[in-house]
Amino acid sequence: INAEYGEYGEYFVNHFSKTAQLHHPGRQAVPVTGEEHAQALAAVRQYKLQQQKRSSTFVPPSQYLQEEIPSWLREYATYPEIEYEWGGQSYQSLDRYQTMMTRLYREELRKLIEGYEDYRNTLIAELEERMVRMAMEEQGPAAGTLLCR
């Protein structure tokens, strides 16, 4: 249950039952006046309208997400200083190339992040190994012989 604020003031929304009310559901019920009842109905209408707007704003994925990226576009993404004349392209072509460029940049970013994660894991392993070595050195040679037996 969330408290939301609209043009009719604060109201509480139960997202499971898709209902709204003016008073907190955990508090003791308070008698409702006619005006409060009208406000509650307006709040419920407002909530339902918001839900309809949210559900109707679905944007389907681009059809270009699975399309093969041309080699010249890969080159352009790698070397942005290459001059290319975009003026003669149609809107659909530009949209397609923009989607492909976004894909290329995401792939590049994913590889970069994976590299940093590998480096971080290597550092963590090295730190743990050094901590074990330091603990062994602090215990002295006698502790080491006990461990070897």
Side-chain angles (χ1 to χ4, degrees):
I1 294 183
N2 292 350
E4 297 187 12
Y5 301 91
E7 63 182 89
Y8 299 102
E10 179 183 38
Y11 60 98
F12 297 88
V13 177
N14 183 336
H15 294 281
F16 295 108
S17 65
K18 306 264 190 252
T19 59
Q21 63 191 59
L22 286 178
H23 301 288
H24 191 281
R27 295 194 186 122
Q28 188 176 17
V30 178
V32 178
T33 65
E35 183 181 325
E36 288 177 327
H37 183 70
Q39 287 178 341
L41 288 176
V44 169
R45 276 189 232 108
Q46 180 183 11
Y47 171 73
K48 286 182 179 178
L49 281 174
Q50 287 174 350
Q51 292 303 310
Q52 287 173 351
K53 286 180 185 175
R54 286 182 189 158
S55 64
S56 66
T57 56
F58 173 74
V59 177
S62 174
Q63 68 259 23
Y64 309 122
L65 288 176
Q66 301 302 319
E67 193 174 326
E68 186 177 345
I69 298 172
S71 58
W72 66 267
L73 193 60
R74 285 186 185 277
E75 247 183 81
Y76 180 78
T78 306
Y79 308 104
E81 63 273 357
I82 294 175
E83 292 287 326
Y84 186 78
E85 185 61 43
W86 296 102
Q89 300 289 332
S90 67
Y91 175 79
Q92 288 80 13
S93 295
L94 291 174
D95 182 47
R96 189 170 120 221
Y97 297 145
Q98 187 270 337
T99 302
M100 290 177 181
M101 292 286 285
T102 301
R103 246 176 66 205
L104 285 171
Y105 290 139
R106 283 186 180 161
E107 288 173 12
E108 183 182 343
L109 184 59
R110 184 184 48 78
K111 288 177 185 175
L112 183 67
I113 290 171
E114 286 174 355
Y116 279 123
E117 278 297 308
D118 290 344
Y119 181 70
R120 187 178 71 85
N121 290 332
T122 303
L123 283 177
I124 288 171
E126 179 66 24
L127 280 171
E128 289 173 352
E129 187 179 312
R130 287 186 186 191
M131 288 177 66
V132 168
R133 262 193 260 138
M134 286 175 56
M136 295 289 283
E137 289 173 1
E138 286 177 2
Q139 290 177 357
T145 55
L146 288 175
L147 291 174
C148 293
R149 290 184 185 176

